[in-house]
Structure formats: C-alpha cells, structure tokens
Amino acid sequence: MEKNYPLHQLTTLKIGGPAEVVYWPQTKEDLATVWQRAQEAGVPVWLIGQGSNLLLPDEGLPGVTLVTTSLRVIEWGDHTVQVEAGYPLARLAQEAGERGFSGLEFARGIPGSVGGAVMMNAGAHGGTIADQIMNVTALWADGTVKKVDKAELKFAYRFCSLRGHAWVLEAELMFSPGDPKEILQDMKKNLTYRTRHQPLEKPSAGSIFKNPPGDSAGRLIEAAGWKGKSVGGAQVSHKHANFIVNTGNARAKDVLALMEEIQRDVQLKFGITLQPEVEYLSSQFEHRTSNFEHRKGG
Ligand SMILES: Cc1cc2nc3c(=O)[nH]c(=O)nc-3n(C[C@H](O)[C@H](O)[C@H](O)COP(=O)(O)OP(=O)(O)OC[C@H]3O[C@@H](n4cnc5c(N)ncnc54)[C@H](O)[C@@H]3O)c2cc1C
C-alpha cells in the first residue's frame, strides 16, 4: 500500500495527481475484502488495470485506488484459458498464438489488462474480446462474487453491460485451433501496422474518441485541421489525429480542453458529436468509474 502515490505513474498518458492511497491486491479475495471494508467505511474506491484507457485528474483521487496488475493467475485448457483480470492482454495474445490458439490476433498491440479489455470490449482489426469470451467472474456492488455466462452479458462497440455494476475478477476465453506460425505472423502484421500509423513512441491513451457509425474519428479530426495542434502539453498527434499525446508536461485539464475544442469544431464542421473513448475518472463520482460525458453533464 502506498499513500500519496503519483497517479501519473499508473497510466500510459502519464497524467494524474496524487492518489490518497494506492493498493495492489494480491488475490481476488484480497480485492473483494478491501472493496467490502471501504464500502463499510464509506471510502471511495477506484479500479485501474494497466491505465491505458484512462485520463486521471490533476487533483488526484480520494480514497483507495486499486490496481489489478498483480492478479495474474492463468490456467490453459483445451483451446480455452481461465485468466485473472490483471493479466496483460498482449501477453495473453502472444502466449495463445504460440500454442496455436487463434482468436486474439487483434490484441497483440493493445496495452491493457484482461479486466480492462473486457470492460472496454477492446478490439481492433475487426476482432473484439467479446468474440472470445465464454464467461466472466465478477465482484458485484453488493459484495457478491458471481460467474456470468456471455449470454447474460451485453457487449457492444467499446461497451460491456458490467460497467457501473461489477468489477471483473477473471474471465474464461475460448479459441479456435490454428497454426502457430500463421497466428504469430498475423500478429506481427498488426503490430507493424500500429507502428506505422500510431504514435507509440509518445505517452497516449490510444484512441481519444470512438468512431462514429460509418466513419472514423481520426479522419474527421484530421479533416477539421487538428493534427499537431495543442493545448498546454497535450497535442493532437501528427501521426494519427485520434491520438492525443503528452509532449512532456501535459495536465488532465489540457487534454480535456483539447477534447472539448475538437468536439465543438467537428460538430460545427460536420454535424457529428464525437463521443470520448478515453475514461476520465473524476472524484465527483464515488464507487464507480465516470467519464468525460458524465463530467460534461455535471
Ligand atoms: C497505444 C495504445 C493503443 C491502444 N489500442 C487500442 C485498440 O486497438 N483497441 C482498443 O480497444 N483499445 C486500445 N487502447 C486502449 C486500451 O488499451 C484498452 O481500452 C484496454 O482494454 C484498457 O485496459 P486497461 O487495463 O488499461 O484499463 P484501464 O485503462 O486501467 O481502465 C479502463 C476502464 O476499465 C475499468 N477497469 C479496468 N480493469 C477493470 C476490471 N478488472 N473490472 C472492471 N473494470 C475495470 C477502469 O475502471 C476504467 O473504467 C490502446 C491504448 C494505447 C495506449
């Protein structure tokens, strides 16, 4: 457990003030116990995986910030895997590929955890994690732990119906049989594509906005003339207009201001309201994740 821990160390954007307390649960039971105790004491609780889709506030977070990255128990089956929430998705994809398990080729370059990937329904190159999910074991807001089959869950573009209701403790995924060489070759191709088209050399949170139906956020932002523009230390990447990069000293307020300006301008020029993909956790909302949209709504 760490007190006054700098949150910027927990996100790929490298932004965020001090967390009152950060705790890395070592087991699922440990996580559930801390949640229960914090609930009883009325202390806010926040959950973070690899912090690769997060914008954390400059003023920091009150209460306890739980980081799942130590929850890494994994058990391979016959074209299945049972894996805890903190396991890195890209590593899972690579290991599946080496076994000749096909299905996570899209995920090799996504820097999130399994839990974060389920919650965001992470996807790329035409695949999503929802395609591979069999069931999810989750901690519900009332403190119970329950396994739910995929049929009971609703997944959509960057959405899982557990959002706001439960935290992912582990998931069971299934694969199709494949040739390891071909699977790993596909992954390599996807990684090369990313290196060419995304600013991986700079801190970012991946895509800032969701793609609107039938269009691409990057195309719209670029067409509106935003590539390279900045507010403070937050800059629209020259390489990919839907990435905001931290040029060194960006603050959350810079990113939020840039997002608002882009949203307003794209709405004005193309009549499309871009919806944030990045999650903004704000201390206004206790015991739940909250995002930019909530913040704007007050
Ligand atoms: C360079 C780069 C490239 C990216 N490319 C892609 C891409 O191609 N496709 C894509 O979909 N995403 C992409 N992302 C975004 C990000 O990697 C994914 O959304 C990822 O799934 C987030 O996982 P995380 O562990 O980092 O979650 P975090 O960022 O830590 O958290 C994101 C949200 O999930 C919640 N959460 C985290 N863990 C759990 C859990 N165990 N249970 C419940 N809720 C949880 C958090 O509270 C938060 O609301 C990219 C990011 C970067 C930086």
Side-chain angles (χ1 to χ4, degrees), residues 47 49-54 112-113 116-117 119 122-123 158 168 194 206 289:
L47 192 75
Q50 294 278 350
S52 64
N53 198 54
L54 282 177
S113 64
M119 208 43 110
R158 303 294 173 269
V168 178
R194 276 178 192 272
T289 58

Side-chain angles (χ1 to χ4, degrees), residues 10 12-13 31 46-54 68 71 85-86 89 106 109-125 158 162-163 166-169 194 198-200 202-207 243 277 279 281 288-290:
L10 298 177
T12 53
L13 244 183
L31 190 153
W46 311 90
L47 192 75
I48 290 182
Q50 294 278 350
S52 64
N53 198 54
L54 282 177
T68 63
L71 304 180
L89 180 66
F106 75 88
I110 301 181
S113 64
V114 166
V118 171
M119 208 43 110
M120 295 304 303
N121 189 16
H125 314 287
R158 303 294 173 269
L162 290 172
R163 177 161 296 275
W167 285 344
V168 178
L169 297 178
R194 276 178 192 272
Q198 299 179 358
L200 303 182
K202 300 210 173 109
S204 81
S207 295
F243 276 60
E277 179 165 325
E279 298 264 334
L281 293 196
R288 53 169 296 179
T289 58
S290 53

Side-chain angles (χ1 to χ4, degrees), residues 20 36 62 102 108 126 140 146 160 184 197 204 238 247-248 278:
E20 194 176 347
Q36 197 69 42
S102 172
R108 182 62 182 79
W140 297 78
K146 201 172 72 182
C160 168
L184 296 176
H197 297 279
S204 81
H238 286 282
T247 57
V278 66

